[in-house]
Amino acid sequence: FQRRVEILTQVVVTGDTDRLPSAVRHSVLAIVRHALTNIRIHARATAVTIRADISATTCTASVTDNGVGFDLAAYRAGPPAPQHLGLTSMEERAALVGGRLQIESAPGRGTTVTIHIPLGG
C-alpha cells in the first residue's frame, strides 16, 4: 500500500496470527483492504496505521488515518447510494464472523475503523 499510493504506512501486530480461524483472517484482511481503498480514494491522508491484536479470546484490528475525516452521522442519515456501500459491506463482513465494526471519524480529524471479533466460541 505504501509503495503503491505513497502514504506512509505503519503495521503493528501483537499476538499469534496462527490462532485466527481462516474465516476470521479473511474477513479482517478484506475489511482492512476496503478501509485502505477508502483512504486512497477519499481521505487525502499522509499517514496510516494498521494495528492487529490477537489474544486467546479476541481479535481486534484497526486502520487509522490522518486524513480529512467525515461526518459519520450525516453519512448514515443520507440515502444509500450504490457507490457508497463500503461501510455497510464492512459491517456485514464483520458480523458474518460474529464481530462488530466501529467507526470513529470527524471532519478534519481523520478516521479509525476498528474490528472486534470474539475467538474460541
Side-chain angles (χ1 to χ4, degrees), residues 11-95:
V11 178
V12 179
V13 178
T14 58
D16 184 3
T17 58
D18 291 335
R19 294 187 49 80
L20 295 178
S22 179
V24 170
R25 182 179 298 120
H26 290 306
S27 289
V28 169
L29 288 174
I31 292 166
V32 168
R33 220 179 275 125
H34 201 116
L36 291 173
T37 297
N38 287 347
I39 291 166
R40 180 179 55 80
I41 294 170
H42 303 292
R44 298 195 304 261
T46 60
V48 174
T49 300
I50 304 165
R51 296 184 187 280
D53 179 37
I54 299 106
S55 72
T57 59
T58 60
C59 171
T60 302
S62 65
V63 180
T64 302
D65 70 64
N66 68 345
V68 297
F70 66 102
D71 183 337
L72 182 60
Y75 174 86
R76 291 200 188 279
Q83 70 274 21
H84 293 290
L85 296 176
L87 297 182
T88 301
S89 70
M90 288 191 288
E91 289 169 333
E92 289 173 355
R93 189 175 290 273

